[in-house]
Every structure is written in C-alpha cells, then in structure tokens.
C-alpha cells in the first residue's frame, strides 16, 4: 500500500470517453484541471491522459481503443468524482460561464462543506467542494 503522508497521490479515478479530446478540453478550460500528459494512438485516439487538480489527478482515455480496461468498462455507466477546491463559488462561476451543466449550485452542507455538482459532456458527475477529510499518516 502506498504511503499517505505526501509525495505522489495513491488514488487516480480513471474515466473513458467517446470523445476524450473533448473531455480534456472541457476539464481543462471549464473545470480548471491542468493537462499533465496526453498520449495518442496512430488513429488520434487518446490512449492515456493525466489531468491534475490540486494534489490529485484523474486518468482518462478514449473508449474503444482495446485492451483489458477498455473491455471491462465497455458497458459501465457514468462515474462520479469528488474534487477538493479552495473557492467553490469561483470554480462554479467558471464552469457555468463555459456552459457546463450544473446539477446543484454551490450549497453549504450540514457537515461543514460547501460544494456544487456538475455533469460533463458524457454524463459523468463531478462534485467540487471544500470537504477534505484528513488521511492518517
């Protein structure tokens, strides 16, 4: 098991998209992710991409490119990912200005978090908020 006290993240949500290039564009331009790497196949499909947000990252790729993971995810439905951000309202404004579908506006939760929920172009649910549980080291 990877250490939890700093260094590289040990958990990476992984999502496949019919239009991975469009997903990368939406995640970086509208939702503030930073592109770390994108590896394309000869046909232009995204074989593997890594996008960072804070001290975490998400991996993504194109559906239908073959391999065990692609086959396992073939009939998978949308996924949901929670991302910690410092300024929920500013993040929400940016997403809304870029036309992202907002499912829940910034809302104060009874457990102390402030968050909002959005749907990406292919139906995945992205929640952005201030809730960041401490992981014992």
């Amino acid at each position: 098991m990877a250490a939890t006290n700093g260094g590289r993240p040990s958990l990476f949500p992984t999502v496949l998209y019919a239009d991975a290039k469009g997903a990368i564009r939406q995640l970086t331009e509208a939702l503030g992710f930073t592109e770390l790497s994108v590896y394309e196949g000869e046909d232009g499909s995204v074989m593997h991409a890594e996008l960072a947000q804070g001290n975490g990252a998400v991996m993504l790729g194109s559906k239908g490119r073959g391999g065990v993971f692609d086959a396992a995810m073939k009939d998978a439905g949308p996924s949901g990912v929670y991302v910690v951000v410092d300024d929920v309202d500013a993040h929400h404004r940016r997403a809304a200005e870029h036309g992202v579908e907002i499912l829940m506006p910034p809302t104060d939760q009874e457990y102390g978090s402030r968050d909002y929920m959005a749907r990406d172009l292919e139906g995945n649910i992205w929640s952005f908020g201030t809730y960041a549980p401490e992981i014992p080291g």
Side-chain angles (χ1 to χ4, degrees), residues 19-89:
D19 180 4
K21 289 180 181 178
I24 291 168
R25 196 168 32 260
Q26 183 183 46
L27 290 168
T28 56
E29 293 176 7
L31 297 174
F33 283 78
T34 301
E35 184 180 304
L36 298 177
S37 61
V38 177
Y39 302 96
E40 294 183 12
E42 290 181 16
D43 63 356
S45 64
V46 177
M47 301 303 292
H48 177 81
E50 298 170 5
L51 307 179
Q53 175 73 256
N55 64 353
V58 62
M59 296 180 187
L60 64 93
S62 296
K63 289 182 178 178
R65 68 186 197 289
V68 175
F69 187 73
D70 185 52
M73 296 293 289
K74 181 178 182 232
D75 294 321
S79 63
V81 180
Y82 186 88
V83 181
V84 177
V85 295
D86 291 329
D87 187 338
V88 171
D89 295 285

Side-chain angles (χ1 to χ4, degrees), residues 27 30-33 53 81-89 91-92 95 100 102 104-107 113-119 125-131:
L27 290 168
L31 297 174
F33 283 78
Q53 175 73 256
V81 180
Y82 186 88
V83 181
V84 177
V85 295
D86 291 329
D87 187 338
V88 171
D89 295 285
H91 196 277
H92 169 262
V100 173
I102 305 299
M104 181 184 79
T107 304
S113 181
R114 181 165 179 78
D115 48 48
Y116 80 96
M117 191 181 311
R119 185 187 328 265
I125 306 304
W126 294 85
S127 298
F128 298 90
T130 59
Y131 180 70

